Amino acid sequence: MNIREVTDGDFEGIWSIFHHIVKAGETYAYPRDTSKVQAEKIWIKAPRKTYVVEAAGIIVGTYFIKTNQAGPGEHVCNCGYMVAPLARGQGIASLMCQHSQQQALELGYKAMQFNCVAASNTGALKLWQKLGFVTVGCLPKAFFHPHLGYIDAMVMYKWLTSS
Amino acid sequence: MNIREVTDGDFEGIWSIFHHIVKAGETYAYPRDTSKVQAEKIWIKAPRKTYVVEAAGIIVGTYFIKTNQAGPGEHVCNCGYMVAPLARGQGIASLMCQHSQQQALELGYKAMQFNCVAASNTGALKLWQKLGFVTVGCLPKAFFHPHLGYIDAMVMYKWLTSS
């Protein structure tokens, strides 16, 4: 597997993953009917950097990195990660999260924050914890899950530097 | 004092408050050098609604309300409040926060969240607690204060409806 920065021809591959995951409405706080144009803005244009993971020339994962709050909060970044449904269980999310922490440091960030991890997304919660993130907050009923209704959302955080 | 929705002529009054507070860099996660154009985008154009508090025809306070996260998170709103330095201690922040909770319900929101309250902003923390908000999270060293350095930022939250 190869991880690299996004290029012009990558959006079709990203969109097929994005659309599948966001349409389900179970993990990401984006509208379930997010359009292709909006998705490109969210995932590629608005963030500071976007990366893709390729296996045999196919995009199997993607993540972005952006500044979470401006000014006095600009040393904290935020990332979003997506893995193609057929490529789950191969450590791609873990690979991307580790890569993103390194990129964050290179971009000058000191910490990384996930703002809204659905409590039902136990796979993600466990993985981020394993990779050093701490659940620093719980937002009661902040996420509307299509099958479970209003569920809690977690705020996760990791200080990345030793300084 | 009169609280009403913003109109075209209000931005000069808002800007004088915004600029003073944001330039200090002690409370809001906006760049300290935020321009007038950027400020109008942040405070009036991007939010769903903006309000001003007038006393004797002068704007002494202002707040916005916007959706905090999209899609599955769109029932939670976020607000920002600013009081003119010379008008502090008159209950204007309290008036605005109570007004905003009512407006939030009318706009269909079910909860309100403050994402990044600097730990040093004890006046705000106490006031929001008094008005029913709970500190649901602490982001370690997430706010860079110009005099105190890296300090914690609090995530505050209130469920607004009985349902």
Side-chain angles (χ1 to χ4, degrees), chain A residues 8-161:
Chain A
D8 277 352
D10 291 331
F11 185 62
E12 285 298 325
I14 292 172
W15 167 246
S16 71
I17 301 173
F18 183 101
H19 181 57
H20 182 94
I21 290 173
V22 170
K23 194 179 61 177
E26 297 180 1
T27 50
Y28 269 86
Y30 301 136
R32 294 177 70 182
D33 61 353
T34 299
S35 70
K36 206 168 166 179
V37 170
Q38 288 168 323
E40 191 171 12
K41 191 175 170 191
I42 289 168
W43 208 262
I44 297 181
K45 292 185 179 170
R48 194 153 162 202
K49 297 268 187 187
T50 303
Y51 295 84
V52 294
V53 181
E54 277 179 324
I58 293 169
I59 294 175
V60 292
T62 179
Y63 83 86
F64 70 75
I65 185 164
K66 69 179 181 190
T67 303
N68 198 49
Q69 299 279 351
E74 70 181 3
H75 58 290
V76 183
C77 67
N78 168 251
C79 291
Y81 311 87
M82 289 186 178
V83 176
L86 293 173
R88 284 182 189 152
Q90 298 177 34
I92 298 171
S94 178
L95 173 77
M96 290 194 292
C97 186
Q98 288 174 325
H99 188 268
S100 69
Q101 292 181 44
Q102 189 56 45
Q103 294 305 308
L105 288 169
E106 288 181 16
L107 289 166
Y109 294 111
K110 291 182 179 293
M112 190 179 288
Q113 181 175 334
F114 304 144
N115 298 305
C116 190
V117 185
S120 57
N121 194 359
T122 50
L125 287 163
K126 274 185 202 162
L127 180 57
W128 308 149
Q129 276 164 22
K130 191 178 154 193
L131 296 174
F133 287 80
V134 175
T135 299
V136 295
C138 172
L139 304 162
K141 300 191 281 187
F143 193 95
F144 185 78
H145 188 285
H147 308 304
L148 305 171
Y150 292 109
I151 59 171
D152 298 346
M154 305 302 167
V155 182
M156 303 188 78
Y157 189 87
K158 181 177 181 179
W159 191 261
L160 301 172
T161 75

Side-chain angles (χ1 to χ4, degrees), chain A residues 25 28-32 69-73 75-76 110 113 115-116 136-144 150 155 157 159 163, chain B residues 25 28-32 69-73 75-76 110 113 115-116 136-144 150 155 157 159 163:
Chain A
Y28 269 86
Y30 301 136
R32 294 177 70 182
Q69 299 279 351
H75 58 290
V76 183
K110 291 182 179 293
Q113 181 175 334
N115 298 305
C116 190
V136 295
C138 172
L139 304 162
K141 300 191 281 187
F143 193 95
F144 185 78
Y150 292 109
V155 182
Y157 189 87
W159 191 261
S163 61
Chain B
Y28 270 85
Y30 302 136
R32 294 177 71 181
Q69 299 279 352
H75 59 290
V76 183
K110 291 183 178 292
Q113 181 175 335
N115 298 305
C116 189
V136 294
C138 173
L139 305 162
K141 301 192 281 186
F143 192 95
F144 184 79
Y150 292 109
V155 181
Y157 190 88
W159 191 260
S163 61

Side-chain angles (χ1 to χ4, degrees), chain B residues 65-82:
Chain B
I65 185 164
K66 68 180 181 189
T67 303
N68 198 49
Q69 299 279 352
E74 70 181 4
H75 59 290
V76 183
C77 68
N78 168 250
C79 291
Y81 312 87
M82 289 186 178

Side-chain angles (χ1 to χ4, degrees), chain B residues 30-88:
Chain B
Y30 302 136
R32 294 177 71 181
D33 61 353
T34 300
S35 71
K36 206 168 167 178
V37 169
Q38 289 168 324
E40 192 171 11
K41 190 176 171 191
I42 289 169
W43 207 263
I44 297 182
K45 292 184 179 170
R48 193 151 163 203
K49 297 268 187 189
T50 304
Y51 295 84
V52 294
V53 181
E54 277 180 324
I58 293 169
I59 294 174
V60 293
T62 179
Y63 82 87
F64 70 75
I65 185 164
K66 68 180 181 189
T67 303
N68 198 49
Q69 299 279 352
E74 70 181 4
H75 59 290
V76 183
C77 68
N78 168 250
C79 291
Y81 312 87
M82 289 186 178
V83 176
L86 292 172
R88 284 183 188 152

